[in-house]
Every structure is written in structure tokens, then in C-alpha cells.
Amino acid sequence: VAHENSEGGWSPQGPVDELSDRASWELLASTNLGRLALSLDGRPDIFPVNYWANARSLIFRTAAGAKLHELTDNEFVAFEVDAILTDGAWSVVAKGTASVLGTEPSLTEKALASFPPWVPVQPFVYVEISVDSIRGRRFQRHLHVQLRE
Amino acid sequence: VAHENSEGGWSPQGPVDELSDRASWELLASTNLGRLALSLDGRPDIFPVNYWANARSLIFRTAAGAKLHELTDNEFVAFEVDAILTDGAWSVVAKGTASVLGTEPSLTEKALASFPPWVPVQPFVYVEISVDSIRGRRFQRHLHVQLRE
């Protein structure tokens, strides 16, 4: 059986190293694009968002729309970031609660620089995720084996 | 203000093209790694999974654990796949319901080849997502502009 794996030979089901909270936060701080999972009336939803990792929280911005509606209705969120490396991949999932900071929160230059310089069609709303739990995993690259049928 | 954007100058908040259902399915079929969003008692969760895109459904496998527990408790799921291109990025979100196919469903060689050749520690359980709605978007790469303070 020939096996293909377009993601460079790693898999969430392969050899995994669990990462410390500190290592997980360092990975969260190393990039600025993640996926936000929300749930409204038991229906999950998922959105790609740019974010900034603060000490124990994540900040992202959005505009009026489904995302904002869903998270103000149910504050519980999950947030995932991953990256593919030459020798495998990593994924960090943070869970917590979201709270709306408003349209002009007091953020540092560095935080604001994490967000791309779009001129908004409507005002951005900044949202902070207070992280209650974090789980980081590193997936090892696997060898492509030829299985005998 | 200097703006950084480690994701190659695109953003979910930048210029967006909405894609047709057909184009969205073609993108889903072009790769085999996505993120599954589940919700248990209103608490969203998110998992990276390998998958295979069928005609109007997605198939992935998992083992006994949180993921399987959550999706048998609440069948509603959202599934996201994205990729970064030289001239931007795309993201497809599929929503639907999950049903457990069992440990040895009748799948084609081609479908099985989408999954990496791990020898499982415990039996894999295959799960099918019947997709009710799909939304694909293409994000254009933006120019790095220098804003005057």
C-alpha cells in the first residue's frame, strides 16, 4: 500500500511529545495567525484570526459579524496554532474565556504591530482571551514505510 | 508604525474573495490536514486531524479519547482547512454532523492512502462528517504600507 501524506510526513496520530506550558506559550508568541473555535447553541464554528500573545492571554480583533455575535453569546473559546517544521510539526491549543476590550483598548506598539495594517471598513473590536488551560504537542516526522499487503 | 506580519502579508481581515462551493471542495480535496472544532456542553474544542474529502463528506480517523467522546455526545462539528500561498492564502470552513463509521469501514485504497501509515496503539475509529454548508475564502496578499503617525 502506497501512502501519501501531503503534509510532509507527520500526523496528529504519530509520535508525539507533550510540551510544557512555558514552551507552549513561547510557540504561541512566535507567530500571529491562529484558528478560533466558538460554539453557539452547541454548534461549533471556526475562524482564522490574527492575534497577539500577551502574558497569559491572547488578543485578537474582529469586526461586527458572526464571530463577535457568537463570542458575546458564549464566552468559552478554544484557540489553535500550529506550524509545520522540517522535522515534524507542532500544535498548541489554548482554552479560555473571551471578553470584548472595545474599539480602542490601550495596547502597546508591539501588540498593535502584530495586526496587519488594514484600513477597516468598519471599526475593529479587540477581544481578549483569558487562557485557563494550554496544551502543546510536537509531532515527529515519520519515515515513509512500505507496508506489505 | 512598523507593521510585522509573519504570515507573509495576508490577513483574515484583508481583501477577500468568496469562493464557490465547487472551488471550496476542490481545495478541501487538495490536502489532508485540517482542524476539527467540537463543542461539549457549550465548551469548544479543537483538534488537528488528517482527513480525506469524499464527494460531499469528510472522513477522518481517531482513537478512543476526548475527541471521540465529544463528537458522540454532540454530532455538530466545524472543520477548517487553510493554506498559505505565494500571493495570499485560502481558508475553507465546512459545517455538518459527524457519525462514527467504525474501525473497519469499507473505504477505497485511495481514501485509506490519505491517512499516514501509523501502526495504531489502539484501534482507529473512522468518522464521517456529512457536510451541510461550506464556505471558502481567498485572502489576497497585501502590500506592506508605512502608515504616517
Side-chain angles (χ1 to χ4, degrees):
Chain A
V1 181
H3 290 277
E4 303 161 17
N5 187 344
S6 65
E7 301 301 330
W10 71 277
S11 158
Q13 290 173 335
V16 171
D17 296 319
E18 296 281 337
L19 304 177
S20 68
D21 281 14
R22 187 196 186 104
S24 299
W25 276 102
E26 282 171 2
L27 289 173
L28 278 183
S30 71
T31 180
N32 72 347
L33 180 78
R35 290 117 200 139
L36 177 71
L38 305 173
S39 177
L40 187 61
D41 296 331
R43 308 290 181 109
D45 207 345
I46 188 166
F47 302 89
V49 295
N50 287 113
Y51 72 99
W52 181 70
N54 204 344
R56 297 294 295 177
S57 71
L58 305 170
I59 291 171
F60 67 90
R61 68 181 185 194
T62 184
K67 192 163 34 185
L68 187 61
H69 173 64
E70 290 180 18
L71 69 87
T72 49
D73 198 82
N74 178 4
E75 64 183 350
F76 294 107
V77 303
F79 191 81
E80 197 257 4
V81 177
D82 56 44
I84 295 174
L85 313 171
T86 51
D87 61 346
W90 58 261
S91 169
V92 174
V93 175
K95 294 183 192 174
T97 51
S99 54
V100 174
L101 297 179
T103 53
E104 288 184 12
S106 116
L107 295 176
T108 62
E109 272 299 282
K110 198 175 165 192
L112 289 170
S114 295
F115 303 106
W118 297 120
V119 178
V121 177
Q122 50 188 326
F124 286 133
V125 176
Y126 288 84
V127 177
E128 180 164 26
I129 302 173
S130 295
V131 175
D132 297 321
S133 70
I134 192 166
R135 183 188 187 194
R137 291 182 296 167
R138 194 181 298 276
F139 307 98
Q140 297 168 30
R141 192 184 186 83
H142 66 73
L143 299 173
H144 281 280
V145 295
Q146 198 73 23
L147 297 180
R148 187 167 292 182
E149 300 226 35
Chain B
V1 182
H3 290 277
E4 303 161 17
N5 186 344
S6 65
E7 302 301 329
W10 71 277
S11 158
Q13 290 172 333
V16 171
D17 296 319
E18 296 282 337
L19 303 177
S20 67
D21 280 14
R22 186 197 186 104
S24 299
W25 276 102
E26 282 171 3
L27 289 173
L28 278 183
S30 71
T31 182
N32 73 346
L33 180 77
R35 291 118 199 140
L36 177 71
L38 305 173
S39 177
L40 187 61
D41 296 331
R43 307 290 181 110
D45 207 346
I46 188 166
F47 302 90
V49 297
N50 287 114
Y51 73 99
W52 181 71
N54 204 343
R56 296 294 295 177
S57 71
L58 304 170
I59 291 170
F60 66 92
R61 68 182 185 193
T62 183
K67 192 164 32 185
L68 187 61
H69 174 64
E70 291 181 17
L71 68 87
T72 49
D73 198 82
N74 178 4
E75 64 183 351
F76 294 108
V77 303
F79 191 82
E80 196 259 3
V81 177
D82 55 44
I84 295 173
L85 312 172
T86 50
D87 61 346
W90 57 261
S91 169
V92 175
V93 175
K95 295 182 191 175
T97 52
S99 53
V100 174
L101 298 179
T103 54
E104 288 183 11
S106 114
L107 295 176
T108 62
E109 270 302 279
K110 198 175 164 191
L112 289 171
S114 295
F115 303 106
W118 296 119
V119 178
V121 177
Q122 50 187 326
F124 286 133
V125 177
Y126 289 83
V127 177
E128 182 165 24
I129 302 173
S130 296
V131 176
D132 297 321
S133 69
I134 192 167
R135 183 188 187 194
R137 291 183 295 167
R138 193 180 297 276
F139 307 97
Q140 297 168 29
R141 191 184 185 81
H142 66 74
L143 298 173
H144 281 281
V145 292
Q146 199 72 24
L147 296 180
R148 186 167 292 182
E149 301 225 35

